[in-house]
Structures are given as C-alpha cells and as structure tokens.
Amino acid sequence: MKIVFLVLLGLHSAAAVTHSLKNIVTASSQVPNFPEFVIVGMVDDVQIQHYDSNTTRLVPKQDWANRVTEDNPQHWERYTARCLGLQQIFKGYIETLKHRFNQTGGVHIFQWVGGCEWDDETGEVSGFRQVGYDGEDFLSWDVKTNTWIAPKQQAVITKNSWNNDKALMAHYKYLLSQDCPDWLKKLVNYGRSSLMRTELPSVSLLQKTPSSPVSCFATGFYPDRAMIFWRKDGEELHQDVELGEILPNHDGSFQMNVDLNLSSVTPEDWRRYECVFHLSGVKDDIITKLDKTAIQTNWGKTGDGRDGGFPLGAVIGGVVVLLLLVVGIVGFFLWKKNKKGKDGVQPANTTDASSSSLSSSVEVQNTGL
C-alpha cells in the first residue's frame, strides 16, 4: 500500500472571503511510532486543536483558539471526553473494514474529513464530508442530495445503512449548514488578527552550479496565497521554467521557488528576464531582475566577489517543519486531491448535537459501518 503523508498547508489572506472549518480524523493500525488515533481541527487550514491517543487530551494549538472557553469554560474537558469515545468507535471501524476487505494484519488507515465553508461576502455556506480507507475513497457525501455515495462495493452496506437513517441525515444537514458555519464565524472573529495578517518575503536568486537553472526563491511570506513566476520582456514564461511547491517555514511563514533554465539564453539577453512574486491582497509585486552579480551559489564566489551560498537554513527549516507537521499533526493523506462539488469532500457523524468545532463537522455514526 502506498502511504502518502498529509501536509497541512494554506491560509486565507486578507483579500480572501471564503473561510473553512475542517476536522481531520485518522485511525491507524500497526503504524510504527504513530498514534493509533489523531484528530486535527483547522480554521482556514490553520491548526487550532489537536488530540491523539498517546496524550488523550484535546488541546488548543493557537492562543486565540483558547477563547472558546469564554462561552464554555469546560470546552476542552468536554470534548476530550468526546474524543475518547471517538477513539474507540474508530478502532472498531478499522476491525470491521479489515474483515469486510478480507484483510488480516499489516498497516491500515481509516480517515474522514468533515467541515464547512463560509463566504463572508455573499454569506453562502456549504458543508463537506468524505471517508477514506487505505488510501482510497470509501464514502463520499453528496451535498446537494444530502446522501452518501459508495465508490466501492464494500461500502454499499454502510451507504444504505446511513442513508436510511432519515433523522440522522437531517441532523447532518443542520450541523453542516447552520451549526458549523456559526462556529466558524466565531472562530474567524477570534483569530482575525492572525488569520488576516500579511507578510512580504525576501527574494533571492540561487544557482547550484554554473550550468544549473537559476532559482528565484521567496521565503518569509504570509499567507500562502501567492504566485511566483519568471517573465521575459514583460511576458510570463511557461517554457524552460519549473515551479516548486509552497512549503512552511519554522516560524509559520512560507517559502516557494521557481526555476529558470538558461541553457539557451545568451548572457546579453539575461537583462530581459525578471522574477515576479505576487501575494494575494497586496497591490505591488516584488520584481527581481536576473542579474549575475546578485546570484547566490554553493560552488564559489558570485560575480562581484561576494561569498555565494544558498540560504540552506531557510530551506532545511521548511523541510523540518514539513516533517513535524506530518508526524505531529495528522498522519496520512488518503486522497491525492480534494474533490469538492457534487461528489462532496468529506466524512461523517454523531447523534450528539452541540455547537462546537468538533461536533459540527465530526459526527460519528452510532450504528457503525
């Protein structure tokens, strides 16, 4: 089984008007050095709460997230108890699915994602749920019909059982169309100063060897809604360029790069090229001219005699944080991409209705799988 780790990235900028509340629940079997059960809650893809079976405590991960105790002083204790209950239910889910798929030992992962989105400009709200098992879709929720869809034969029995519980399906609709958005609005208000901040990056030109592509490297920006690209004579380039992924830094900011292959470019034409960094919500772009004397290298001196060298600390820091996010936040990515729309993105269910970031999007089916 191919295991792909889930990377929790992406925040909304001040210009963004769509906010999201999401809970990711991961149960695992026989995964070395990893908790058997993990819950991560996120607002605008920023982690706000965490629970795992090793600590058996639901705890806030942002200072502003702890403001939930203003209205409910026992919030963390109450939902720690709920997480303990979910832990046992999910353990049973894995055993049920192992039997249904005719499996015995080995590594197995059961995961669901649930939550809602809210457009603070139009007021439009929508919910989502999706369930995955061992790296593949198991159940998807159709937001338009408020029913579950089974992409696998082994999921049909669960789909029928859950869809036939009309009271529970009505409860789902209420939670994800009203309760979850109400809680999301409250959390966005709590964290507005953090979620809406804007930080510009430092931009450098890097080159490994004289024949390597020149990399335009931006680090320290926030949020992650950004673009970086090369252009020639004012026109964006699509050939001889390679765009890297956005990665997190240790301080919560982000980094990204775009490489330009100059093998067919004469030195005289270098002045026609420039790197452009654009951050959503910021009017002015950061433009960096392709200048040989400004390139940092790890093979010697730059053209003007200065010491070269990549800012490896920033790069390594991003990689380390990425690994920490993987190990300390969630587990495994069961879907190679989110599939929003009529197939839904998401998971499921509990019959205990209560206003909270956990209950609104993680409702556990008491009748089992």
Side-chain angles (χ1 to χ4, degrees):
M1 179 188 70
K2 183 178 180 181
I3 298 176
V4 185
F5 286 114
L6 170 65
V7 181
L8 307 178
L9 303 178
L11 300 174
H12 290 263
S13 70
V17 294
T18 301
H19 303 281
S20 66
L21 170 60
K22 183 187 302 180
N23 278 288
I24 301 174
V25 186
T26 303
S28 61
S29 175
Q30 298 187 30
V31 179
N33 304 315
F34 190 78
E36 290 184 345
F37 185 72
V38 179
I39 295 179
V40 170
M42 296 181 290
V43 170
D44 290 358
D45 289 332
V46 177
Q47 187 189 15
I48 63 164
Q49 61 188 19
H50 175 94
Y51 173 92
D52 66 61
S53 53
N54 290 344
T55 63
T56 63
R57 294 291 301 173
L58 180 68
V59 295
K61 304 302 289 185
Q62 304 290 331
D63 290 341
W64 54 264
N66 206 35
R67 290 185 61 189
V68 297
T69 57
E70 294 176 4
D71 297 326
N72 183 3
Q74 301 303 315
H75 174 88
W76 301 109
E77 291 76 11
R78 179 181 182 185
Y79 289 102
T80 289
R82 176 163 293 181
C83 291
L84 285 166
L86 292 175
Q87 181 176 323
Q88 296 306 312
I89 292 173
F90 271 69
K91 184 176 181 180
Y93 281 177
I94 286 187
E95 293 305 313
T96 298
L97 291 180
K98 284 168 62 178
H99 176 75
R100 194 175 296 177
F101 282 87
N102 195 28
Q103 299 166 334
T104 53
V107 172
H108 297 286
I109 307 294
F110 180 80
Q111 188 178 62
W112 82 34
V113 181
C116 58
E117 293 186 339
W118 162 56
D119 188 318
D120 68 4
E121 185 174 276
T122 67
E124 182 180 358
V125 297
S126 62
F128 51 81
R129 303 186 193 93
Q130 187 166 330
V131 181
Y133 181 65
D134 282 355
E136 297 182 354
D137 286 340
F138 183 74
L139 287 167
S140 295
W141 184 62
D142 188 328
V143 64
K144 293 182 179 178
T145 63
N146 192 33
T147 57
W148 289 98
I149 298 171
K152 286 186 170 294
Q153 182 62 36
Q154 291 89 340
V156 171
I157 186 174
T158 303
K159 178 201 73 171
N160 292 338
S161 173
W162 290 6
N163 286 342
N164 288 337
D165 191 335
K166 301 304 180 184
L168 185 63
M169 297 308 293
H171 181 56
Y172 285 170
K173 188 172 183 178
Y174 162 75
L175 285 173
L176 296 187
S177 64
Q178 297 184 51
D179 190 60
C180 182
D182 287 347
W183 189 252
L184 172 57
K185 293 171 186 178
K186 181 180 294 188
L187 290 170
V188 168
N189 185 55
Y190 289 161
R192 185 170 299 276
S193 61
S194 175
L195 296 172
M196 303 301 181
R197 76 182 192 273
T198 298
E199 297 177 4
L200 293 175
S202 61
V203 180
S204 306
L205 299 180
L206 314 175
Q207 191 176 33
K208 293 180 179 178
T209 70
S211 59
S212 298
V214 172
S215 180
C216 183
F217 177 73
T219 184
F221 61 89
Y222 187 97
D224 73 334
R225 295 205 170 217
M227 296 187 300
I228 190 170
F229 56 91
W230 283 99
R231 66 186 182 191
K232 176 183 177 183
D233 297 333
E235 297 291 330
E236 182 177 351
L237 294 173
H238 299 286
Q239 293 184 339
D240 296 325
V241 296
E242 182 175 352
L243 180 64
E245 297 182 13
I246 296 179
L247 299 174
N249 290 321
H250 69 280
D251 60 358
S253 65
F254 297 91
Q255 60 173 274
M256 68 187 306
N257 71 283
V258 60
D259 294 347
L260 173 64
N261 188 338
L262 293 169
S263 59
S264 60
V265 179
T266 62
E268 293 77 17
D269 283 338
W270 277 37
R271 58 183 178 81
R272 302 169 62 186
Y273 293 82
E274 58 190 13
C275 172
V276 180
F277 176 88
H278 173 76
L279 187 64
S280 180
V282 176
K283 180 179 179 181
D284 296 327
D285 296 334
I286 298 177
I287 299 175
T288 306
K289 295 285 187 180
L290 180 58
D291 183 351
K292 197 167 201 176
T293 63
I295 295 175
Q296 300 181 55
T297 74
N298 63 353
W299 48 273
K301 302 285 186 178
T302 58
D304 62 355
R306 293 181 291 107
D307 287 332
F310 284 97
L312 292 179
V315 178
I316 294 173
V319 173
V320 170
V321 169
L322 186 59
L323 292 175
L324 289 175
L325 284 169
V326 168
V327 175
I329 296 181
V330 197
F332 303 87
F333 187 38
L334 298 183
W335 303 281
K336 292 186 179 178
K337 60 181 179 180
N338 287 338
K339 294 178 286 185
K340 298 184 179 179
K342 67 177 182 179
D343 286 338
V345 186
Q346 327 357 344
N349 348 326
T350 126
T351 55
D352 177 14
S354 166
S355 248
S356 91
S357 59
L358 185 61
S359 66
S360 295
S361 55
V362 182
E363 287 301 304
V364 180
Q365 181 73 27
N366 286 344
T367 56
L369 293 175

